Amino acid sequence: MKIAEQVTFGTGRLDRATELRNDAAELARMARNARVLPLWRGKPLIDQGPDHRFALAFLTLDHPILAARQKGLVFLGRDPQGPLFALDVSDWEAEGDALDPTVFFDQTWQRFPDTADTSGFGELRGVMAHLTPLEAEIAATARSILEWHRIHGFCANCGAKSTPVQAGWQRDCPDCARPHFPRTDPVVIMLITHGNTVLIGRNALWPRGMFSLLAGFMEPGETIEAATRREVFEETGVRVGAVDYLASQPWPYPSSLMIGTRGMATTTQISIDPDELEQARWVTREDMLEVFAGQNPDMMPARKGSIAHFLLTNWLADRLD
């Protein structure tokens, strides 16, 4: 797609400044006055302005809670205003709203001490479409890399506790000298069409009425095209012929790369796998336009900011070239 890089999180505007990751002295100098994005349990610090205007809320290391945790700093790169770092403050005990792990979408808001009254930790999926493209990329990068550190603290080769190096972009094992690097899990998300219709489905755990494009993890030794055909057939029994790449989106839950494809269905009979989907259906372009206009009380469109929403919007507008 000519407009593929307009997808949320996928603009590539952040200067990652990889040449600085091994310069500990320079990074320490920059960090003293640099902007730091704190994240609490995967939620970035957000400033909520009037009329649903959201922006990332950056702090500096003179904030006492950040100063006590600065060994966990990760260098994200630079933007036009200067260097950027991220820091996990998940061990800080938040006051106010408690997280509910059973809900699909966390709508709680946690205030952070010594910040503006309008600032707090908010779920990224709730504000991603309101951030600037660069801010969205910064937040997604920070969330992914900090989550990788959280769940990969030990060497997968020998089990010893590993040590962050390269400004947080590598972990080394002090026992067996094995280096470990941040991982990205490839996922195919498929715009499957047949004539004037598109194939959508919903998981039983999703909110009532929420539908989206089919998606699934790629397997070792598999091409993007093969994964598209396999996932669609496994979930719905629909066979797919020609497959084209459309766009991709880094998706920090926890660290996937959503690879958007378009597949032409060669069959239309649906037979769902109940372990994967609760429902699947073919929807015409006209009916999907009503869904996106909020005129279908039984169906909600994919979340704005997701690649599913991006692909469906451009399919409706006939802009998939």
Side-chain angles (χ1 to χ4, degrees):
M1 293 177 68
K2 295 177 182 177
I3 58 172
E5 290 185 326
Q6 292 182 15
V7 67
T8 303
F9 303 142
T11 57
R13 299 184 182 186
L14 176 64
D15 175 9
R16 295 177 178 249
T18 57
E19 71 279 4
L20 295 176
R21 291 179 182 173
N22 201 37
D23 191 341
E26 177 62 12
L27 288 170
R29 185 194 67 79
M30 291 193 303
R32 286 196 292 268
N33 299 305
R35 288 163 297 146
V36 179
L37 179 65
L39 283 87
W40 182 77
R41 302 184 184 180
K43 300 167 68 170
L45 190 64
I46 301 290
D47 185 69
Q48 183 175 359
D51 302 323
H52 296 285
R53 296 176 183 173
F54 296 93
L56 296 182
F58 295 99
L59 303 176
T60 54
L61 283 179
D62 57 4
H63 189 288
I65 294 178
L66 271 58
R69 294 162 173 79
Q70 59 183 291
K71 288 185 178 180
L73 272 177
V74 173
F75 176 58
L76 300 179
R78 296 175 294 209
D79 71 359
Q81 298 180 55
L84 293 163
F85 291 79
L87 185 61
D88 189 355
V89 296
S90 296
D91 60 343
W92 165 71
E93 291 296 328
E95 297 179 358
D97 293 337
L99 297 179
D100 182 354
T102 65
V103 299
F104 177 78
F105 174 68
D106 172 23
Q107 300 187 49
T108 62
W109 183 264
Q110 289 77 30
R111 285 274 298 113
F112 199 46
D114 302 318
T115 60
D117 291 340
T118 55
S119 296
F121 291 107
E123 171 57 63
L124 181 57
R125 285 176 293 185
V127 301
M128 59 186 179
H130 301 283
L131 300 174
T132 68
L134 177 56
E135 283 187 318
E137 182 182 358
I138 291 168
T141 301
R143 192 188 194 285
S144 287
I145 190 66
L146 292 181
E147 180 66 7
W148 174 70
H149 281 289
R150 187 185 72 83
I151 62 178
H152 289 84
F154 295 85
C155 177
N157 186 53
C158 73
K161 186 173 178 59
S162 57
T163 303
V165 296
Q166 290 286 327
W169 289 90
Q170 182 176 325
R171 296 187 70 95
D172 286 350
C173 178
D175 286 8
C176 70
R178 186 74 171 262
H180 301 277
F181 303 93
R183 61 175 296 162
T184 297
D185 299 314
V187 178
V188 283
I189 180 163
M190 298 80 71
L191 183 81
I192 305 301
T193 59
H194 187 271
N196 194 45
T197 61
V198 64
L199 182 62
I200 60 173
R202 62 169 273 106
N203 186 288
L205 299 178
W206 291 356
R208 181 180 177 275
M210 179 178 173
F211 282 80
S212 187
L213 299 178
L214 307 185
F217 287 97
M218 293 183 60
E219 294 185 348
E222 194 171 42
T223 66
I224 294 172
E225 295 83 358
T228 296
R229 298 186 183 102
R230 174 184 56 78
E231 281 289 340
V232 174
F233 181 74
E234 286 179 357
E235 295 185 2
T236 66
V238 171
R239 293 288 187 182
V240 175
V243 174
D244 295 312
Y245 168 79
L246 292 175
S248 63
Q249 179 185 47
W251 189 247
Y253 294 92
S255 191
S256 298
L257 178 65
M258 307 297 291
I259 303 170
T261 63
R262 180 179 185 176
M264 303 297 184
T266 59
T267 64
T268 58
Q269 184 66 36
I270 294 175
S271 177
I272 66 169
D273 177 355
D275 292 331
E276 296 282 350
L277 298 176
E278 181 184 67
Q279 297 181 51
R281 63 180 66 170
W282 292 100
V283 178
T284 67
R285 191 184 301 264
E286 293 76 17
D287 287 343
M288 187 60 74
L289 281 169
E290 292 188 354
V291 171
F292 271 68
Q295 298 174 358
N296 186 328
D298 300 318
M299 186 179 298
M300 296 188 301
R303 184 185 301 278
K304 190 174 183 181
S306 67
I307 190 172
H309 188 282
F310 177 80
L311 294 178
L312 284 167
T313 299
N314 286 286
W315 174 69
L316 291 172
D318 198 22
R319 293 187 304 197
L320 293 179
D321 59 324

